[in-house]
Amino acid sequence: MAGKFVISKRSNGEFQFVLKAGNGEPILSSEGYKAKDSCANGVESVRSNSQNDARYERKTSSNDRPYFVLKAGNGEIVGTSELYSSNGALEKGVASVRLNAPTASLDDHTG
């Protein structure tokens, strides 16, 4: 099963997307966007930047768990991963974004 971007509306009225792998697991989440069009632009930014390894910044959370952020060409963060149990799991997450993002379908749950 192919990956998909799911666009939803947060309780505060902002729009958000989540990139899910073919198994339904979330692999990348966006910030909140005030406008749906901006959210859709964020999806396109993930698609276009996902193949460039230099756009991935590997980080460590305050509780020492690895995660990554994907940045656009202008340095803005367009998506943040889940927290991982190991650096190996983080690299699998990066590989999953690279595999899924370019061809992921768009599933709009905003009504």
Side-chain angles (χ1 to χ4, degrees):
M1 190 149 88
K4 64 180 175 179
F5 286 97
V6 177
I7 294 179
S8 59
K9 202 167 190 181
R10 293 177 170 177
S11 59
N12 66 358
E14 292 182 337
F15 296 90
Q16 174 184 16
F17 67 80
V18 176
L19 174 61
K20 294 187 176 187
N23 64 3
E25 289 295 314
I27 49 178
L28 195 72
S29 299
S30 76
E31 64 182 3
Y33 294 94
K34 293 192 184 311
K36 190 173 177 180
D37 285 347
S38 299
C39 187
N41 289 341
V43 167
E44 293 310 312
S45 183
V46 170
R47 288 189 202 279
S48 63
N49 289 289
S50 65
Q51 302 307 298
N52 184 342
D53 194 61
R55 300 279 194 255
Y56 292 90
E57 186 175 327
R58 285 114 172 126
K59 298 177 161 256
T60 304
S61 70
S62 59
N63 62 349
D64 290 329
R65 295 187 56 197
Y67 71 101
F68 64 88
V69 295
L70 177 63
K71 293 185 173 184
N74 64 3
E76 291 292 315
I77 294 173
V78 291
T80 303
S81 75
E82 306 294 317
L83 296 178
Y84 292 99
S85 58
S86 68
N87 286 327
L90 176 146
E91 293 304 329
K92 286 181 181 177
V94 168
S96 185
V97 171
R98 292 180 81 155
L99 174 71
N100 286 285
T103 59
S105 62
L106 191 60
D107 194 356
D108 188 343
H109 287 209
T110 62

